[in-house]
Structures are given as structure tokens and as C-alpha cells.
Amino acid sequence: MKVIVKECSHYDVEVIKTKVVAALNQLQFDFSKLYNAKVAIKPNLLTSASPESAVITHPAFFKAIVQIVKQHGGIPVLVESPAVYSLQRVMKKTGYDAIVTEEDVFVADTSDCIIIHNDNAYHFKRFEVPKILTECDILFNLPKFKTHALTHITCAVKNLFGTIHGIKKSQWHFRAKTRDEFAQMLLDLYQAYCTDSALPKTIVHIADAITMMEGDGPGPGGMPAFLGVIGMSYNAIAVDYALSQLAGFTLDNIPTIKMGFKRGLCKKPEEIDIIKDSGISVGRISIPPKEAGSTKILGIPLVNAVLKNLLVAKPLPDPEKCTLCYQCKQICPVKAISTSKDGKVPSYDYSACIRCYCCMEICPESAISLTKPLLQRILMH
Ligand code: SF4
Ligand code: SF4
């Protein structure tokens, strides 16, 4: 099992193309498969954010992959479903719309869904994904490498979750409430992508880690940071592992990687062949997201509001930044957010909040931050 890590210092379409083609060759990708094939391309377009904020897969990165597909006779299909706003609106704000028009990319309707199955799932055996994927021969998964309040990092494994249509994504947080349950669900979905015969047979993960995100990601609250690489593999866990290691994150804190290895969804770390360009310097120590705390103790979910507030970080909106746009209210899977009582920030019901941090992820003003759990604050004094 190989991961190719290419040095790439800036978002130049031609440079990215050269690097990606070289890496695909190293992965023994058969370019003739692209001829006349419908190729699904799945970037991370979570929300309307500038490419410089490192929230989304950079448009130049997307354009480079589209051009590679077209140059080999393939038909590029954009498959993405932002969390709250329409794809058209997000494409307009992020510069994707110009590329889609210029390059004649077919934009899939992700509301038309089919059910895929994973009989070997840890828990969740069925997922609704866009039907268009069943018509595609190849899937190029283009995640952005970022920190994440709930899952520590988000990259190739979690990017596939973005194919779940719009606001339905947040309903999964309701079904998989704790960090570990949510990570297992992401792995169930990933396994379904690898095994359901209706989906593309070839999936290549091509991660945009030229500019990564550190700190309180994955939304605009995180900080862009230079990593200067593109990571590629046929295995999503392997590419997430290689990039996390390169960025200096503590791998034990990343549930999708830890559990992915345990479930045998990837070879053991020592069996992964990470082939890096010689110029890549290791030893960066990136800033991790704030530790949210666990919503379980000894495997028992924390349903008691007092205990939850003592032990698990709360999302707190800042009246100085909040514009009362209520995207947070729209995305909250348990309706813990309601109309403002003070006219400054939305009202939060922390006893109902399941700490999924979707509100933080979606807030366009970076107005929501995590407060340290009360017990942690007491112990630190
Ligand atoms: S906290 Fe953020 S998402 Fe929520 S209303 Fe304020 S600005 Fe909008
Ligand atoms: S308030 Fe925020 S963190 Fe809590 S459940 Fe709702 S979206 Fe998730």
C-alpha cells in the first residue's frame, strides 16, 4: 500500500498537474481508464469561504484535476453538497463557478440519492449517497487537510461524508452522538464506498495539503498554515495517516486513523510505503484543535447536563463577531440553538447540545469558539 507525497509550494494549476500526474504514475494509475469515462470529482466545499482561509479545497487544485481528466478524454463531474447553502451559491463565492463554466464541468444534483450498503459495518449499514456516483467509473476524492474540533483532523475519510446531501449530514451527528461513534460511522461509510459494487471501482484520494489548517478548524475559526504538499493514495486512511504524521499531530488523538487501523481498513502503519519527494522537510509541529473532552465516561454516554458541562467543551458564540445569520441554528441536529434572547447571539441550550460542533464548523464569522470544560479550568488553576 503506497502513499505518494509530492512537494508543491503554491497553487499554480500547471505545477499541481505535473505533480499529480507524476504521483498517479507512481501509483500505477491506468490513464487509459479515463477515456470516455465519467469521473466524479469530490472537493471539500463545506461553505462559502475564501480559498486563502484553507476551509475549502483550493479552486486551482480542483481545476488541475479537471484538466487532467479532460486531457485524457474523461468527462469531469462535480459531486459536492455544502452543509447549509446551495452548491450554486457556494461555487459563486469560492470561484468554482468560473472553473465549472470555463472547463464545462457537469455539476451533479446530489439530492437524487440511492442507498449503498456495508454488510461488514461496525454499526451503520446503509447510507444515502448521490445517485450520479453509480454512473461514474472513477472517483477522485479531493479533501482539504484540516484540523477538526470533533475528529481532530479531517481529510480523505471525512471528505466522503460531504457526499451526504446538505443538512442530512447533521442528522448523522444525532445518530452517532459521541466522537468515537461518529468516527466509526465515517469508517462505515468509507468501507461502503470501498465495497458497494454500485459505486466507482477506482477511488483515488488526492489531498490538498499545500496550505493546511491548524488550530480550531475545520471552519473559518482555524488558521491556514503552509505544509507545501499533495498526498495521494488508493487508501483514505493511509493518506490521512501520512499527512497527519508529516504535520506533527498526535496520531492517537485521531479516531478515524486509530480505529481504521484496528478495523483492518488499512494495512498496519509499518506496512505503508510512504514515498516522499526528497525536498519535503519533516518535523513541523502543527497546532492541534482544542481538546473538546469526551462525551462518554467508561463507555457510558454523558447525558447528565451538569457532568457534560463539567467535562466537555461548549461552543460559545461571541457577540462581537456574531451577525445573527442563524446558519448555526439551521445546522444544529438537536435544535439546541434558538432565536437570540439578548439580540446579540443565538441562545444555546447546553443540556440538549450533543457537542457535535457543526455550528462552529459552519459559522461564517468564526464567531463560535470552544470554552474549556469547567473541570479542566478548575484543575489548571
Ligand atoms: S454564531 Fe455564527 S452562525 Fe450563529 S448566528 Fe452568529 S454569525 Fe451566524
Ligand atoms: S449547539 Fe452546536 S455543538 Fe451543540 S449540538 Fe447544536 S450544532 Fe452541535
Side-chain angles (χ1 to χ4, degrees):
M1 182 175 288
K2 277 186 196 166
V3 179
I4 312 296
V5 184
K6 289 273 165 213
E7 187 184 17
C8 190
S9 59
H10 55 288
Y11 287 100
D12 179 286
V13 175
E14 292 306 319
V15 174
I16 297 168
K17 272 163 65 181
T18 307
K19 304 279 177 176
V20 171
V21 168
L24 284 169
N25 276 318
Q26 284 173 278
L27 287 173
Q28 271 112 36
F29 178 80
D30 179 359
F31 284 89
S32 70
K33 278 187 187 169
L34 289 171
Y35 189 71
N36 265 340
K38 268 192 188 165
V39 181
I41 304 179
K42 163 67 180 81
N44 183 336
L45 275 182
L46 166 76
T47 190
S48 310
S50 74
E52 292 71 34
S53 65
V55 171
I56 57 164
T57 305
H58 199 286
F61 201 85
F62 170 72
K63 187 172 181 175
I65 307 303
V66 165
Q67 289 191 356
I68 291 171
V69 170
K70 287 176 65 181
Q71 279 161 8
H72 290 85
I75 305 148
V77 179
L78 171 62
V79 182
E80 174 58 321
S81 179
V84 173
Y85 289 136
S86 71
L87 179 59
Q88 278 61 32
R89 177 173 170 158
V90 174
M91 285 201 306
K92 203 166 177 187
K93 297 258 177 180
T94 52
Y96 269 63
D97 61 343
I99 299 168
V100 160
T101 311
E102 216 175 283
E103 300 287 343
D104 196 19
V105 178
F106 180 78
V107 179
D109 170 10
T110 54
S111 66
D112 188 9
C113 294
I114 53 134
I115 303 283
I116 58 165
H117 299 87
N118 175 7
D119 292 335
N120 297 311
Y122 172 82
H123 191 82
F124 300 103
K125 295 192 168 173
R126 288 155 55 90
F127 293 91
E128 244 187 32
V129 299
K131 195 174 170 198
I132 186 85
L133 288 168
T134 63
E135 297 164 25
C136 294
D137 307 285
I138 295 167
L139 167 60
F140 283 154
N141 183 27
L142 312 188
K144 184 77 180 172
F145 180 50
K146 303 189 282 180
T147 44
H148 195 286
L150 185 63
T151 53
H152 209 78
I153 63 118
T154 163
C155 193
V157 170
K158 189 161 183 296
N159 198 46
L160 293 173
F161 182 61
T163 57
I164 308 268
H165 186 62
I167 205 84
K168 284 184 182 170
K169 280 190 266 295
S170 74
Q171 290 163 10
W172 277 101
H173 285 280
F174 186 68
R175 296 179 69 185
K177 288 195 182 77
T178 66
R179 188 184 85 133
D180 286 358
E181 282 166 7
F182 189 71
Q184 293 286 21
M185 181 279 292
L186 293 177
L187 291 169
D188 284 344
L189 174 64
Y190 172 56
Q191 198 173 21
Y193 262 92
C194 297
T195 54
D196 192 303
S197 58
L199 295 179
K201 303 282 169 293
T202 306
I203 305 179
V204 191
H205 309 279
I206 311 172
D208 171 8
I210 300 173
T211 304
M212 59 170 279
M213 176 182 280
E214 59 184 359
D216 291 333
M223 295 172 293
F226 179 74
L227 192 61
V229 298
I230 299 170
M232 294 180 52
S233 180
Y234 288 113
N235 186 289
I237 296 160
V239 78
D240 289 6
Y241 167 76
L243 292 177
S244 299
Q245 199 186 45
L246 198 64
F249 291 124
T250 306
L251 297 168
D252 234 26
N253 291 340
I254 307 169
T256 45
I257 293 181
K258 212 165 67 174
M259 294 167 179
F261 284 132
K262 213 168 163 185
R263 283 174 59 168
L265 298 175
C266 180
K267 287 200 168 171
K268 289 185 194 134
E270 56 276 19
E271 291 169 21
I272 302 173
D273 189 10
I274 301 174
I275 304 166
K276 287 197 289 276
D277 277 356
S278 55
I280 295 171
S281 57
V282 281
R284 183 181 217 286
I285 304 294
S286 307
I287 302 166
K290 269 193 209 92
E291 199 44 67
S294 175
T295 47
K296 267 185 175 180
I297 288 185
L298 300 174
I300 304 161
L302 280 174
V303 281
N304 180 294
V306 180
L307 274 180
K308 204 159 52 177
N309 290 339
L310 272 174
L311 296 165
V312 195
K314 289 193 284 195
L316 193 73
D318 177 354
E320 298 293 319
K321 294 182 178 170
C322 177
T323 56
L324 290 176
C325 70
Y326 288 116
Q327 285 195 57
C328 51
K329 181 172 179 270
Q330 274 187 65
I331 203 165
C332 179
V334 290
K335 306 207 181 314
I337 305 173
S338 53
T339 312
S340 175
K341 290 197 177 86
D342 60 5
K344 293 177 183 162
V345 289
S347 295
Y348 273 63
D349 175 357
Y350 290 112
S351 56
C353 168
I354 56 170
R355 309 307 202 255
C356 68
Y357 308 117
C358 287
C359 51
M360 194 175 151
E361 184 171 353
I362 202 71
C363 176
E365 309 299 332
S366 316
I368 304 173
S369 55
L370 287 187
T371 55
K372 276 215 172 87
L374 195 55
L375 199 63
Q376 228 184 74
R377 273 186 282 157
I378 294 167
L379 292 175
M380 281 175 78
H381 277 282

